[in-house]
Amino acid sequence: MHSPRTPFGVPPSVAPRAWLRRGDLAVFRSLAHRTWPGAEPVLPRLSRCADHGLLWFGVAAGLAALGGGARARRAALRGVASLAVASAVTNTLGKRAVRRERPLLDAVPVVRQLNRQPFTTSFPSGHSASAAAFATGVALESRGWGAVVAPLALSVAASRVYTGVHYPSDVLAGAALGMGAALALRGVVPTRARFPAPSRTPGRAPALPAGGGLVVVVNEQSGTAATTASLVRAALPDAEVVGCAPDDLRAELERAAGRGRALGVCGGDGTVNAAAAVARAHGVPLAVFPGGTLNHFAHDLGIETVDDVRAALTTGDAVRVDIGRFRPGPNGPEGPSEPAAPGRPHEPHGPFGPFGPGEPVDANGYFLNAFSLGVYPELVRTREYWAPRIGAWPAGLLGAWRALRGDRPLEAEVDGRRRPLWLLFVGNGLFQRVGPAPGRRHGLADGLLDVRMVHAGRAPGLRLLAAAVAGPLTRSPVHAARRRRKVRVSGLAPGTPYAYDGEVGYARGELMIDKLPESLTVYCPVPKR
């Protein structure tokens, strides 16, 4: 009497591990003898391109450069980070724990085989782990881009069996490991969607379907503003869209606020800063279209695309937010104060600051994101000078390198106590993290300032990094963090640079920093449940 057999012809009495191994081999041979229409000119090349993650680095670079927004850049960064985690686990643990030999190639047609055969062990598939990790990481930040990348990742995984360098189980295990790495990374570094929705104070704003009654001012030299402006015209055909140069920005904002029911602005954080001051002065709601290299304020509102703003305008959904204030501002009664900076000339707003000739000069300065003294203003000055010549991101890296080389800390008296500092950061609301990319704020109308100081000492870069990864409201020998309603900074040398929302000004000896609670109404989409 014959014993029962599995579909692969293996008796169930055989030990499970041997049964799985034989079943795996049977599937491998079956796939090797099958015809894969259209795969011959594609899969071997695709498999080679994915060596050492080069394919995914290229996809990430294209996604960051051409993806059209911050979400795409975050997706690219998370994809690469997930790939790095998966690769480290695969090569240090997976392949050493299970030293499985590669399949024999006698059943695989020569035309499918790779010219250079891998010499590492077979289990798990590193290519599959990297592909799954990258695709999963991208999808966790952006489902749309994840759907675009997923077929490519599946093709890379399939190519490893097609070319005969892995068994099917190697590929499945590698894919599972890659997805697990991406999910584990999300547990350590949450995606933006996993942050709690910021607390919101509802505001009153008119519903403007199709943009009727909205005047949008576009800073034509800010980041992707010109491209975003064309999307605004298509999404809001009844809106008036006006482009202008940076020197004409304030005058154009004043005219727009005087003739519309709402003021719109398209540009980066510095452009939005100028628009917020005008909108507050005229008592009109503000619509923010992210069009700069950095758009922290818009992102903290949950605005990443033109459609987000269009939806809020259609229904009239808006919130009230705080505005940070510092006195005297860059255009106080004494006028701008800027020392000579050989090799790095910088006059961010022209001779009249953000105001034009004959316009009223506001003695105060305002910030929607953060105000800072120390190394960051130096970084901004260098970035602004070099960005038109070498691009925004290379200029930012150059600015960081120059700033961290400095050996002279800032001397200042903060709330009556004099101390040397590498950085004084004052955030408009509590930030979850401070560093090159500030974390998300949970509240935009909490009435408080997020004050952080990095004390002077050796290795400013390491001290700044320690402050960046530390949580809010912490104290250590390296840095301190606390919440205040106002901060007084005195004892500054005349001409000391400060930064506010990506712009640079120069102090005259003393600064008072506080907030104007719930003083600005901004269109804001309702959070998705």
Side-chain angles (χ1 to χ4, degrees), residues 60 63-64 72-83 134 138 141 185:
L63 192 58
R73 290 193 292 270
R74 291 199 308 271
L77 180 60
R78 183 168 291 275
V80 171
S82 300
L83 181 154
F134 183 85
V138 169
E141 286 287 2
L185 181 63

Side-chain angles (χ1 to χ4, degrees), residues 10 26 145 213 254 293 359 451 497 513 522:
V10 181
W145 285 114
E254 291 281 356
T293 304
E359 294 181 30
V451 183
I513 308 168
V522 188

